[in-house]
Amino acid sequence: MRPFLLPSLFAFVASLPFAALVHADEVVIDPIQREHDRLQALTTPEPPTPGSWHMGAGPKAAEPLRARLAEWGYDVPRGDDNALAAALVDFQRINGLKETGSLDKSTVAKLSMSREDRLVRLRYTLAAETAQPIDRTVPRLVIVNIPSYKLRAFESGQLALSSNVVVGRPKRPTPELSVFMKAVKYNPTWTPPPTIIKEDLIPLFGRDPSAVTRKGLVVLDRGGRQIPPDAIGPISAAGFHAAGYRMYQPAGDSNALGKLKFEITDTPSVYLHDTNHRNDFGKPVRALSSGCVRVHQYRPLAAWLMGLSEDEIQKRINRRRTVVEPSPQIPIYLVYRPAEAIDGHVVYYSDIYGKLNGPLPKPKPIPVIEPAPAPEATPAAPSADPSVPPVAPVTPAAVPVATTPAVATASEPAPATR
């Protein structure tokens, strides 16, 4: 573990330019700092996590759980089973566990996180909040905390929407970004990026060409003519591109982007979208994509973003046309915060990308970036079904654009997507 002294953190923060601190949100930072200070000041040995407890087990059985919850900041009086059960249920709720009020296996595992492991996450989060500050003073914003597998949308400082998400797997991580929403694309097509073509798809041409078709992909030659995958045979990625071949996935039920895509500024290879693998949203570990963020509640998010009802969003999807609709350019932050304050307590997440083993995040220069001009509303592709009548491009009513004077873009390279 890295040695760390609290005064050194204060000196580090004090040395930063004022612009890097102007958007620090005390409501969010203060619980993290307070918990860090509380744990740092503890001198008593860390109490062990009990293996079991139930109501009516008696004071002797209750004391180890009471002591362990006190280690986590819960003040439970001795001899009060009801208060102990209520504190345990609150711990389970905040940590996204089943609210049993008993010490089940998942609750024991979460309660067992050591004091030092929690401190490491708190230190990293404090540094990350300074290195990539979030301007929570804007009217609306979206935050995706990558290790929490959650997206949250805020309006006037209040939580408007929460959704489970799937993020990039460790070998293809979702990057940390501070950008803007740009457009919503209904019934998107998907063109696999080079990484996915090279690592996932090219091997199929030699091993199982029919798998390319089963994945719903269409292969085109240099002249734009569709060709069967088995006509290509074994080939390298370099040979595939040199021959002028390309692949895409038409809009539809099997499309990797699902029914809707959220485009963001400055990062054409990274975006948010629906998916055709919706069962993944129920999994406890959701680092499964190739870098993009899959959103479970994509319809509510689109409705909130566009100022429409979910029914209106669904009607646009039901037209089965690939249409791009400009959106209000609200800020969106993709961040990596392994500790997060929820309802006055701190929740800790798994270090899915191994960032806690490296140096603490350092602030980058924060350029002033105005939102890019919204794209024109244009249909991107016709329906494959000739029975569906053409649909005119959709242009939303004028919506005030929320700007922020200090939104930074990440310097790390964009990953392969989907």
Side-chain angles (χ1 to χ4, degrees), residues 82-106:
N82 289 327
L84 187 60
L88 187 58
V89 168
D90 193 46
F91 176 87
Q92 291 169 328
R93 176 186 63 82
I94 289 171
N95 284 276
L97 303 173
K98 190 174 181 181
E99 297 173 31
T100 62
S102 61
L103 272 178
D104 51 47
K105 185 177 179 180
S106 58

Side-chain angles (χ1 to χ4, degrees), residues 245-386:
Y245 296 128
R246 55 192 177 94
M247 282 183 279
Y248 83 101
Q249 200 175 47
D253 292 337
S254 63
N255 188 275
L257 307 188
K259 300 295 185 182
L260 192 143
K261 171 186 176 185
F262 299 90
E263 296 181 348
I264 58 181
T265 57
D266 301 322
T267 57
S269 61
V270 181
Y271 39 83
L272 288 71
H273 62 88
D274 176 30
T275 178
N276 60 339
H277 295 287
R278 296 186 180 93
N279 289 338
D280 289 345
F281 291 116
K283 296 178 179 178
V285 177
R286 297 193 292 276
L288 304 169
S289 82
S290 289
C292 284
V293 178
R294 305 173 189 169
V295 182
H296 189 203
Q297 301 295 330
Y298 70 95
R299 275 192 299 262
L301 178 60
W304 175 82
L305 175 65
M306 304 300 291
L308 301 170
S309 68
E310 287 188 49
D311 284 345
E312 289 173 304
I313 296 296
Q314 189 59 50
K315 286 178 183 177
R316 285 159 164 76
I317 294 171
N318 291 345
R319 291 167 182 163
R320 298 164 62 188
R321 300 279 180 172
T322 299
V323 174
V324 177
E325 184 173 349
S327 73
Q329 294 194 31
I330 66 171
I332 174 167
Y333 297 86
L334 309 184
V335 300
Y336 198 91
R337 306 287 196 266
E340 191 171 39
I342 297 178
D343 292 350
H345 289 279
V346 177
V347 178
Y348 302 92
Y349 303 115
S350 295
D351 181 22
I352 57 176
Y353 295 160
K355 289 178 178 282
L356 300 183
N357 297 323
L360 290 173
K362 294 183 179 180
K364 304 178 181 72
I366 303 179
V368 176
I369 300 177
E370 296 296 335
E376 295 183 4
T378 55
S383 168
D385 186 349

Side-chain angles (χ1 to χ4, degrees), residues 31-44:
I32 301 293
Q33 185 68 65
R34 283 198 303 270
E35 183 64 3
H36 174 275
D37 296 350
R38 186 186 71 84
L39 291 180
Q40 187 82 2
L42 292 177
T43 57
T44 56

